[in-house]
Amino acid sequence: MEKVRRLRAMGSLCRQQAAYNSMNKWKLLAEAEYWEHLADLELSSYFQQCNAVSSNEITQPQALTDANGTQWETIAAQAAVTANDAQW
């Protein structure tokens, strides 16, 4: 819960800076949105873990999927394949 508080504080600082820095207003507001999103993810994860422990069903983290339902591949794996192809 402390991490959620810190993430939300970062979002608040970005919004405060945006109020005084008109040149970077939209960038700072986007960054504030990012910090709030991270806080929401952390809070969601916390409650999922609490619910899993209380119901004795610990679930594995789910893979990220895009709008089409396909799983994301790691960039490192793609880079390794590309490097191997370049050698041949």
PDB file of all heavy atoms in Angstrom, residues 36-71:
ATOM      1  N   GLU A  36      -0.559   7.321 -12.291  1.00  0.00           N
ATOM      2  CA  GLU A  36      -1.859   6.864 -11.778  1.00  0.00           C
ATOM      3  C   GLU A  36      -2.171   5.456 -12.279  1.00  0.00           C
ATOM      4  O   GLU A  36      -2.716   4.626 -11.547  1.00  0.00           O
ATOM      5  CB  GLU A  36      -2.971   7.829 -12.185  1.00  0.00           C
ATOM      6  CG  GLU A  36      -2.920   9.144 -11.448  1.00  0.00           C
ATOM      7  CD  GLU A  36      -3.203   9.001  -9.955  1.00  0.00           C
ATOM      8  OE1 GLU A  36      -3.980   8.118  -9.562  1.00  0.00           O
ATOM      9  OE2 GLU A  36      -2.623   9.783  -9.189  1.00  0.00           O
ATOM     10  N   HIS A  37      -1.813   5.193 -13.535  1.00  0.00           N
ATOM     11  CA  HIS A  37      -2.034   3.858 -14.103  1.00  0.00           C
ATOM     12  C   HIS A  37      -1.210   2.818 -13.343  1.00  0.00           C
ATOM     13  O   HIS A  37      -1.716   1.736 -13.010  1.00  0.00           O
ATOM     14  CB  HIS A  37      -1.666   3.864 -15.590  1.00  0.00           C
ATOM     15  CG  HIS A  37      -1.770   2.529 -16.241  1.00  0.00           C
ATOM     16  ND1 HIS A  37      -2.982   1.922 -16.501  1.00  0.00           N
ATOM     17  CD2 HIS A  37      -0.815   1.676 -16.683  1.00  0.00           C
ATOM     18  CE1 HIS A  37      -2.762   0.747 -17.070  1.00  0.00           C
ATOM     19  NE2 HIS A  37      -1.462   0.583 -17.199  1.00  0.00           N
ATOM     20  N   LEU A  38       0.050   3.141 -13.065  1.00  0.00           N
ATOM     21  CA  LEU A  38       0.888   2.223 -12.291  1.00  0.00           C
ATOM     22  C   LEU A  38       0.320   1.990 -10.897  1.00  0.00           C
ATOM     23  O   LEU A  38       0.346   0.868 -10.390  1.00  0.00           O
ATOM     24  CB  LEU A  38       2.315   2.763 -12.183  1.00  0.00           C
ATOM     25  CG  LEU A  38       3.154   2.737 -13.452  1.00  0.00           C
ATOM     26  CD1 LEU A  38       4.539   3.322 -13.173  1.00  0.00           C
ATOM     27  CD2 LEU A  38       3.273   1.332 -13.997  1.00  0.00           C
ATOM     28  N   ALA A  39      -0.194   3.032 -10.277  1.00  0.00           N
ATOM     29  CA  ALA A  39      -0.798   2.896  -8.949  1.00  0.00           C
ATOM     30  C   ALA A  39      -2.025   1.989  -9.013  1.00  0.00           C
ATOM     31  O   ALA A  39      -2.223   1.136  -8.129  1.00  0.00           O
ATOM     32  CB  ALA A  39      -1.180   4.264  -8.401  1.00  0.00           C
ATOM     33  N   ASP A  40      -2.841   2.143 -10.049  1.00  0.00           N
ATOM     34  CA  ASP A  40      -4.016   1.292 -10.202  1.00  0.00           C
ATOM     35  C   ASP A  40      -3.618  -0.167 -10.398  1.00  0.00           C
ATOM     36  O   ASP A  40      -4.239  -1.077  -9.835  1.00  0.00           O
ATOM     37  CB  ASP A  40      -4.874   1.749 -11.385  1.00  0.00           C
ATOM     38  CG  ASP A  40      -5.587   3.055 -11.106  1.00  0.00           C
ATOM     39  OD1 ASP A  40      -5.709   3.435  -9.917  1.00  0.00           O
ATOM     40  OD2 ASP A  40      -6.016   3.706 -12.078  1.00  0.00           O
ATOM     41  N   LEU A  41      -2.569  -0.405 -11.196  1.00  0.00           N
ATOM     42  CA  LEU A  41      -2.096  -1.776 -11.401  1.00  0.00           C
ATOM     43  C   LEU A  41      -1.581  -2.380 -10.101  1.00  0.00           C
ATOM     44  O   LEU A  41      -1.854  -3.545  -9.790  1.00  0.00           O
ATOM     45  CB  LEU A  41      -0.993  -1.808 -12.455  1.00  0.00           C
ATOM     46  CG  LEU A  41      -1.413  -1.577 -13.892  1.00  0.00           C
ATOM     47  CD1 LEU A  41      -0.189  -1.548 -14.799  1.00  0.00           C
ATOM     48  CD2 LEU A  41      -2.379  -2.649 -14.351  1.00  0.00           C
ATOM     49  N   GLU A  42      -0.835  -1.595  -9.350  1.00  0.00           N
ATOM     50  CA  GLU A  42      -0.294  -2.070  -8.068  1.00  0.00           C
ATOM     51  C   GLU A  42      -1.419  -2.393  -7.092  1.00  0.00           C
ATOM     52  O   GLU A  42      -1.392  -3.416  -6.406  1.00  0.00           O
ATOM     53  CB  GLU A  42       0.644  -1.018  -7.482  1.00  0.00           C
ATOM     54  CG  GLU A  42       1.342  -1.445  -6.228  1.00  0.00           C
ATOM     55  CD  GLU A  42       2.357  -2.548  -6.442  1.00  0.00           C
ATOM     56  OE1 GLU A  42       2.906  -2.667  -7.547  1.00  0.00           O
ATOM     57  OE2 GLU A  42       2.602  -3.305  -5.477  1.00  0.00           O
ATOM     58  N   LEU A  43      -2.418  -1.527  -7.032  1.00  0.00           N
ATOM     59  CA  LEU A  43      -3.551  -1.737  -6.136  1.00  0.00           C
ATOM     60  C   LEU A  43      -4.344  -2.978  -6.551  1.00  0.00           C
ATOM     61  O   LEU A  43      -4.739  -3.790  -5.712  1.00  0.00           O
ATOM     62  CB  LEU A  43      -4.439  -0.502  -6.134  1.00  0.00           C
ATOM     63  CG  LEU A  43      -5.461  -0.375  -5.019  1.00  0.00           C
ATOM     64  CD1 LEU A  43      -4.780  -0.385  -3.656  1.00  0.00           C
ATOM     65  CD2 LEU A  43      -6.252   0.900  -5.191  1.00  0.00           C
ATOM     66  N   SER A  44      -4.534  -3.135  -7.843  1.00  0.00           N
ATOM     67  CA  SER A  44      -5.242  -4.310  -8.354  1.00  0.00           C
ATOM     68  C   SER A  44      -4.485  -5.594  -8.011  1.00  0.00           C
ATOM     69  O   SER A  44      -5.081  -6.577  -7.576  1.00  0.00           O
ATOM     70  CB  SER A  44      -5.416  -4.189  -9.868  1.00  0.00           C
ATOM     71  OG  SER A  44      -5.943  -5.358 -10.405  1.00  0.00           O
ATOM     72  N   SER A  45      -3.180  -5.563  -8.195  1.00  0.00           N
ATOM     73  CA  SER A  45      -2.347  -6.722  -7.875  1.00  0.00           C
ATOM     74  C   SER A  45      -2.416  -7.051  -6.390  1.00  0.00           C
ATOM     75  O   SER A  45      -2.513  -8.220  -5.999  1.00  0.00           O
ATOM     76  CB  SER A  45      -0.907  -6.444  -8.284  1.00  0.00           C
ATOM     77  OG  SER A  45      -0.059  -7.467  -7.846  1.00  0.00           O
ATOM     78  N   TYR A  46      -2.388  -6.028  -5.564  1.00  0.00           N
ATOM     79  CA  TYR A  46      -2.459  -6.216  -4.113  1.00  0.00           C
ATOM     80  C   TYR A  46      -3.755  -6.924  -3.719  1.00  0.00           C
ATOM     81  O   TYR A  46      -3.745  -7.888  -2.958  1.00  0.00           O
ATOM     82  CB  TYR A  46      -2.344  -4.866  -3.405  1.00  0.00           C
ATOM     83  CG  TYR A  46      -2.559  -4.947  -1.916  1.00  0.00           C
ATOM     84  CD1 TYR A  46      -1.550  -5.392  -1.080  1.00  0.00           C
ATOM     85  CD2 TYR A  46      -3.781  -4.577  -1.354  1.00  0.00           C
ATOM     86  CE1 TYR A  46      -1.749  -5.469   0.287  1.00  0.00           C
ATOM     87  CE2 TYR A  46      -3.974  -4.646   0.011  1.00  0.00           C
ATOM     88  CZ  TYR A  46      -2.966  -5.098   0.825  1.00  0.00           C
ATOM     89  OH  TYR A  46      -3.166  -5.182   2.182  1.00  0.00           O
ATOM     90  N   PHE A  47      -4.883  -6.459  -4.267  1.00  0.00           N
ATOM     91  CA  PHE A  47      -6.159  -7.067  -3.902  1.00  0.00           C
ATOM     92  C   PHE A  47      -6.330  -8.458  -4.505  1.00  0.00           C
ATOM     93  O   PHE A  47      -6.958  -9.323  -3.893  1.00  0.00           O
ATOM     94  CB  PHE A  47      -7.323  -6.150  -4.278  1.00  0.00           C
ATOM     95  CG  PHE A  47      -7.491  -5.010  -3.314  1.00  0.00           C
ATOM     96  CD1 PHE A  47      -7.277  -3.709  -3.714  1.00  0.00           C
ATOM     97  CD2 PHE A  47      -7.833  -5.248  -2.000  1.00  0.00           C
ATOM     98  CE1 PHE A  47      -7.412  -2.661  -2.824  1.00  0.00           C
ATOM     99  CE2 PHE A  47      -7.976  -4.216  -1.090  1.00  0.00           C
ATOM    100  CZ  PHE A  47      -7.762  -2.913  -1.502  1.00  0.00           C
ATOM    101  N   GLN A  48      -5.752  -8.699  -5.670  1.00  0.00           N
ATOM    102  CA  GLN A  48      -5.798 -10.053  -6.224  1.00  0.00           C
ATOM    103  C   GLN A  48      -5.037 -11.016  -5.328  1.00  0.00           C
ATOM    104  O   GLN A  48      -5.475 -12.145  -5.097  1.00  0.00           O
ATOM    105  CB  GLN A  48      -5.222 -10.075  -7.640  1.00  0.00           C
ATOM    106  CG  GLN A  48      -6.147  -9.506  -8.672  1.00  0.00           C
ATOM    107  CD  GLN A  48      -5.529  -9.509 -10.061  1.00  0.00           C
ATOM    108  OE1 GLN A  48      -4.342  -9.798 -10.219  1.00  0.00           O
ATOM    109  NE2 GLN A  48      -6.326  -9.188 -11.052  1.00  0.00           N
ATOM    110  N   GLN A  49      -3.880 -10.578  -4.829  1.00  0.00           N
ATOM    111  CA  GLN A  49      -3.105 -11.422  -3.925  1.00  0.00           C
ATOM    112  C   GLN A  49      -3.850 -11.654  -2.615  1.00  0.00           C
ATOM    113  O   GLN A  49      -3.848 -12.760  -2.090  1.00  0.00           O
ATOM    114  CB  GLN A  49      -1.740 -10.798  -3.654  1.00  0.00           C
ATOM    115  CG  GLN A  49      -0.807 -10.837  -4.830  1.00  0.00           C
ATOM    116  CD  GLN A  49       0.487 -10.099  -4.563  1.00  0.00           C
ATOM    117  OE1 GLN A  49       0.680  -9.510  -3.504  1.00  0.00           O
ATOM    118  NE2 GLN A  49       1.384 -10.127  -5.534  1.00  0.00           N
ATOM    119  N   CYS A  50      -4.497 -10.611  -2.106  1.00  0.00           N
ATOM    120  CA  CYS A  50      -5.278 -10.761  -0.865  1.00  0.00           C
ATOM    121  C   CYS A  50      -6.419 -11.748  -1.058  1.00  0.00           C
ATOM    122  O   CYS A  50      -6.658 -12.599  -0.210  1.00  0.00           O
ATOM    123  CB  CYS A  50      -5.845  -9.419  -0.421  1.00  0.00           C
ATOM    124  SG  CYS A  50      -4.620  -8.300   0.254  1.00  0.00           S
ATOM    125  N   ASN A  51      -7.113 -11.637  -2.186  1.00  0.00           N
ATOM    126  CA  ASN A  51      -8.223 -12.543  -2.466  1.00  0.00           C
ATOM    127  C   ASN A  51      -7.731 -13.962  -2.687  1.00  0.00           C
ATOM    128  O   ASN A  51      -8.392 -14.919  -2.277  1.00  0.00           O
ATOM    129  CB  ASN A  51      -9.014 -12.060  -3.673  1.00  0.00           C
ATOM    130  CG  ASN A  51      -9.781 -10.800  -3.380  1.00  0.00           C
ATOM    131  OD1 ASN A  51     -10.058 -10.476  -2.237  1.00  0.00           O
ATOM    132  ND2 ASN A  51     -10.110 -10.064  -4.427  1.00  0.00           N
ATOM    133  N   ALA A  52      -6.570 -14.119  -3.324  1.00  0.00           N
ATOM    134  CA  ALA A  52      -6.023 -15.454  -3.568  1.00  0.00           C
ATOM    135  C   ALA A  52      -5.616 -16.116  -2.260  1.00  0.00           C
ATOM    136  O   ALA A  52      -5.858 -17.300  -2.060  1.00  0.00           O
ATOM    137  CB  ALA A  52      -4.838 -15.373  -4.520  1.00  0.00           C
ATOM    138  N   VAL A  53      -5.019 -15.363  -1.370  1.00  0.00           N
ATOM    139  CA  VAL A  53      -4.593 -15.916  -0.083  1.00  0.00           C
ATOM    140  C   VAL A  53      -5.799 -16.289   0.756  1.00  0.00           C
ATOM    141  O   VAL A  53      -5.836 -17.346   1.384  1.00  0.00           O
ATOM    142  CB  VAL A  53      -3.677 -14.914   0.660  1.00  0.00           C
ATOM    143  CG1 VAL A  53      -3.446 -15.356   2.097  1.00  0.00           C
ATOM    144  CG2 VAL A  53      -2.363 -14.767  -0.069  1.00  0.00           C
ATOM    145  N   SER A  54      -6.837 -15.438   0.730  1.00  0.00           N
ATOM    146  CA  SER A  54      -8.012 -15.736   1.544  1.00  0.00           C
ATOM    147  C   SER A  54      -8.802 -16.916   0.997  1.00  0.00           C
ATOM    148  O   SER A  54      -9.459 -17.618   1.742  1.00  0.00           O
ATOM    149  CB  SER A  54      -8.913 -14.500   1.640  1.00  0.00           C
ATOM    150  OG  SER A  54      -9.463 -14.186   0.382  1.00  0.00           O
ATOM    151  N   SER A  55      -8.709 -17.151  -0.321  1.00  0.00           N
ATOM    152  CA  SER A  55      -9.431 -18.280  -0.895  1.00  0.00           C
ATOM    153  C   SER A  55      -8.516 -19.479  -1.143  1.00  0.00           C
ATOM    154  O   SER A  55      -8.931 -20.470  -1.723  1.00  0.00           O
ATOM    155  CB  SER A  55     -10.104 -17.880  -2.208  1.00  0.00           C
ATOM    156  OG  SER A  55      -9.131 -17.578  -3.182  1.00  0.00           O
ATOM    157  N   ASN A  56      -7.237 -19.362  -0.721  1.00  0.00           N
ATOM    158  CA  ASN A  56      -6.244 -20.431  -0.895  1.00  0.00           C
ATOM    159  C   ASN A  56      -6.019 -20.802  -2.348  1.00  0.00           C
ATOM    160  O   ASN A  56      -5.704 -21.929  -2.664  1.00  0.00           O
ATOM    161  CB  ASN A  56      -6.632 -21.675  -0.079  1.00  0.00           C
ATOM    162  CG  ASN A  56      -6.606 -21.411   1.395  1.00  0.00           C
ATOM    163  OD1 ASN A  56      -5.796 -20.621   1.868  1.00  0.00           O
ATOM    164  ND2 ASN A  56      -7.487 -22.054   2.131  1.00  0.00           N
ATOM    165  N   GLU A  57      -6.195 -19.861  -3.246  1.00  0.00           N
ATOM    166  CA  GLU A  57      -5.959 -20.097  -4.674  1.00  0.00           C
ATOM    167  C   GLU A  57      -5.028 -19.015  -5.196  1.00  0.00           C
ATOM    168  O   GLU A  57      -5.462 -17.963  -5.607  1.00  0.00           O
ATOM    169  CB  GLU A  57      -7.262 -20.043  -5.466  1.00  0.00           C
ATOM    170  CG  GLU A  57      -8.248 -21.115  -5.091  1.00  0.00           C
ATOM    171  CD  GLU A  57      -9.554 -20.951  -5.840  1.00  0.00           C
ATOM    172  OE1 GLU A  57      -9.644 -20.065  -6.702  1.00  0.00           O
ATOM    173  OE2 GLU A  57     -10.475 -21.704  -5.562  1.00  0.00           O
ATOM    174  N   ILE A  58      -3.748 -19.293  -5.181  1.00  0.00           N
ATOM    175  CA  ILE A  58      -2.784 -18.317  -5.688  1.00  0.00           C
ATOM    176  C   ILE A  58      -2.665 -18.541  -7.192  1.00  0.00           C
ATOM    177  O   ILE A  58      -2.343 -19.624  -7.655  1.00  0.00           O
ATOM    178  CB  ILE A  58      -1.422 -18.470  -5.001  1.00  0.00           C
ATOM    179  CG1 ILE A  58      -1.590 -18.208  -3.505  1.00  0.00           C
ATOM    180  CG2 ILE A  58      -0.390 -17.561  -5.631  1.00  0.00           C
ATOM    181  CD1 ILE A  58      -0.340 -18.383  -2.706  1.00  0.00           C
ATOM    182  N   THR A  59      -2.947 -17.480  -7.956  1.00  0.00           N
ATOM    183  CA  THR A  59      -2.900 -17.577  -9.408  1.00  0.00           C
ATOM    184  C   THR A  59      -1.605 -16.997  -9.926  1.00  0.00           C
ATOM    185  O   THR A  59      -1.002 -16.117  -9.323  1.00  0.00           O
ATOM    186  CB  THR A  59      -4.073 -16.807 -10.045  1.00  0.00           C
ATOM    187  OG1 THR A  59      -3.978 -15.437  -9.648  1.00  0.00           O
ATOM    188  CG2 THR A  59      -5.397 -17.387  -9.614  1.00  0.00           C
ATOM    189  N   GLN A  60      -1.177 -17.496 -11.077  1.00  0.00           N
ATOM    190  CA  GLN A  60       0.008 -16.980 -11.737  1.00  0.00           C
ATOM    191  C   GLN A  60      -0.357 -15.701 -12.472  1.00  0.00           C
ATOM    192  O   GLN A  60      -1.479 -15.548 -12.936  1.00  0.00           O
ATOM    193  CB  GLN A  60       0.543 -18.013 -12.733  1.00  0.00           C
ATOM    194  CG  GLN A  60       0.974 -19.309 -12.084  1.00  0.00           C
ATOM    195  CD  GLN A  60       2.147 -19.108 -11.134  1.00  0.00           C
ATOM    196  OE1 GLN A  60       3.011 -18.286 -11.410  1.00  0.00           O
ATOM    197  NE2 GLN A  60       2.173 -19.823 -10.041  1.00  0.00           N
ATOM    198  N   PRO A  61       0.598 -14.764 -12.606  1.00  0.00           N
ATOM    199  CA  PRO A  61       0.316 -13.541 -13.361  1.00  0.00           C
ATOM    200  C   PRO A  61      -0.037 -13.878 -14.798  1.00  0.00           C
ATOM    201  O   PRO A  61       0.529 -14.796 -15.393  1.00  0.00           O
ATOM    202  CB  PRO A  61       1.629 -12.770 -13.301  1.00  0.00           C
ATOM    203  CG  PRO A  61       2.422 -13.391 -12.214  1.00  0.00           C
ATOM    204  CD  PRO A  61       1.913 -14.781 -12.039  1.00  0.00           C
ATOM    205  N   GLN A  62      -0.994 -13.126 -15.347  1.00  0.00           N
ATOM    206  CA  GLN A  62      -1.438 -13.379 -16.710  1.00  0.00           C
ATOM    207  C   GLN A  62      -0.539 -12.660 -17.693  1.00  0.00           C
ATOM    208  O   GLN A  62      -0.005 -11.602 -17.402  1.00  0.00           O
ATOM    209  CB  GLN A  62      -2.876 -12.912 -16.886  1.00  0.00           C
ATOM    210  CG  GLN A  62      -3.853 -13.640 -16.005  1.00  0.00           C
ATOM    211  CD  GLN A  62      -5.257 -13.083 -16.143  1.00  0.00           C
ATOM    212  OE1 GLN A  62      -5.467 -12.088 -16.801  1.00  0.00           O
ATOM    213  NE2 GLN A  62      -6.203 -13.738 -15.523  1.00  0.00           N
ATOM    214  N   ALA A  63      -0.390 -13.248 -18.873  1.00  0.00           N
ATOM    215  CA  ALA A  63       0.403 -12.606 -19.918  1.00  0.00           C
ATOM    216  C   ALA A  63      -0.356 -11.420 -20.477  1.00  0.00           C
ATOM    217  O   ALA A  63      -1.584 -11.428 -20.543  1.00  0.00           O
ATOM    218  CB  ALA A  63       0.693 -13.612 -21.028  1.00  0.00           C
ATOM    219  N   LEU A  64       0.382 -10.393 -20.875  1.00  0.00           N
ATOM    220  CA  LEU A  64      -0.240  -9.221 -21.473  1.00  0.00           C
ATOM    221  C   LEU A  64      -0.714  -9.563 -22.874  1.00  0.00           C
ATOM    222  O   LEU A  64      -0.032 -10.231 -23.635  1.00  0.00           O
ATOM    223  CB  LEU A  64       0.760  -8.067 -21.547  1.00  0.00           C
ATOM    224  CG  LEU A  64       1.232  -7.513 -20.210  1.00  0.00           C
ATOM    225  CD1 LEU A  64       2.269  -6.431 -20.456  1.00  0.00           C
ATOM    226  CD2 LEU A  64       0.071  -6.949 -19.440  1.00  0.00           C
ATOM    227  N   THR A  65      -1.897  -9.100 -23.220  1.00  0.00           N
ATOM    228  CA  THR A  65      -2.422  -9.310 -24.562  1.00  0.00           C
ATOM    229  C   THR A  65      -2.816  -7.973 -25.154  1.00  0.00           C
ATOM    230  O   THR A  65      -3.145  -7.038 -24.448  1.00  0.00           O
ATOM    231  CB  THR A  65      -3.652 -10.237 -24.547  1.00  0.00           C
ATOM    232  OG1 THR A  65      -4.650  -9.661 -23.716  1.00  0.00           O
ATOM    233  CG2 THR A  65      -3.299 -11.617 -24.028  1.00  0.00           C
ATOM    234  N   ASP A  66      -2.782  -7.915 -26.488  1.00  0.00           N
ATOM    235  CA  ASP A  66      -3.196  -6.668 -27.130  1.00  0.00           C
ATOM    236  C   ASP A  66      -4.674  -6.747 -27.471  1.00  0.00           C
ATOM    237  O   ASP A  66      -5.379  -7.677 -27.087  1.00  0.00           O
ATOM    238  CB  ASP A  66      -2.342  -6.371 -28.367  1.00  0.00           C
ATOM    239  CG  ASP A  66      -2.515  -7.412 -29.459  1.00  0.00           C
ATOM    240  OD1 ASP A  66      -3.385  -8.288 -29.329  1.00  0.00           O
ATOM    241  OD2 ASP A  66      -1.789  -7.340 -30.458  1.00  0.00           O
ATOM    242  N   ALA A  67      -5.179  -5.755 -28.205  1.00  0.00           N
ATOM    243  CA  ALA A  67      -6.609  -5.672 -28.501  1.00  0.00           C
ATOM    244  C   ALA A  67      -7.092  -6.858 -29.325  1.00  0.00           C
ATOM    245  O   ALA A  67      -8.262  -7.220 -29.269  1.00  0.00           O
ATOM    246  CB  ALA A  67      -6.907  -4.367 -29.234  1.00  0.00           C
ATOM    247  N   ASN A  68      -6.203  -7.482 -30.089  1.00  0.00           N
ATOM    248  CA  ASN A  68      -6.597  -8.626 -30.919  1.00  0.00           C
ATOM    249  C   ASN A  68      -6.526  -9.944 -30.168  1.00  0.00           C
ATOM    250  O   ASN A  68      -6.854 -10.987 -30.710  1.00  0.00           O
ATOM    251  CB  ASN A  68      -5.706  -8.706 -32.158  1.00  0.00           C
ATOM    252  CG  ASN A  68      -5.870  -7.503 -33.041  1.00  0.00           C
ATOM    253  OD1 ASN A  68      -6.959  -6.941 -33.118  1.00  0.00           O
ATOM    254  ND2 ASN A  68      -4.804  -7.097 -33.698  1.00  0.00           N
ATOM    255  N   GLY A  69      -6.063  -9.900 -28.922  1.00  0.00           N
ATOM    256  CA  GLY A  69      -6.001 -11.113 -28.123  1.00  0.00           C
ATOM    257  C   GLY A  69      -4.706 -11.881 -28.297  1.00  0.00           C
ATOM    258  O   GLY A  69      -4.567 -12.972 -27.779  1.00  0.00           O
ATOM    259  N   THR A  70      -3.731 -11.345 -29.039  1.00  0.00           N
ATOM    260  CA  THR A  70      -2.463 -12.035 -29.217  1.00  0.00           C
ATOM    261  C   THR A  70      -1.502 -11.620 -28.126  1.00  0.00           C
ATOM    262  O   THR A  70      -1.526 -10.492 -27.663  1.00  0.00           O
ATOM    263  CB  THR A  70      -1.848 -11.713 -30.593  1.00  0.00           C
ATOM    264  OG1 THR A  70      -1.671 -10.296 -30.698  1.00  0.00           O
ATOM    265  CG2 THR A  70      -2.742 -12.197 -31.716  1.00  0.00           C
ATOM    266  N   GLN A  71      -0.664 -12.548 -27.718  1.00  0.00           N
ATOM    267  CA  GLN A  71       0.281 -12.252 -26.648  1.00  0.00           C
ATOM    268  C   GLN A  71       1.463 -11.473 -27.189  1.00  0.00           C
ATOM    269  O   GLN A  71       1.891 -11.654 -28.317  1.00  0.00           O
ATOM    270  CB  GLN A  71       0.770 -13.537 -25.995  1.00  0.00           C
ATOM    271  CG  GLN A  71      -0.309 -14.227 -25.199  1.00  0.00           C
ATOM    272  CD  GLN A  71       0.245 -15.395 -24.428  1.00  0.00           C
ATOM    273  OE1 GLN A  71       1.366 -15.808 -24.631  1.00  0.00           O
ATOM    274  NE2 GLN A  71      -0.553 -15.935 -23.533  1.00  0.00           N
TER     275      GLN A  71
END
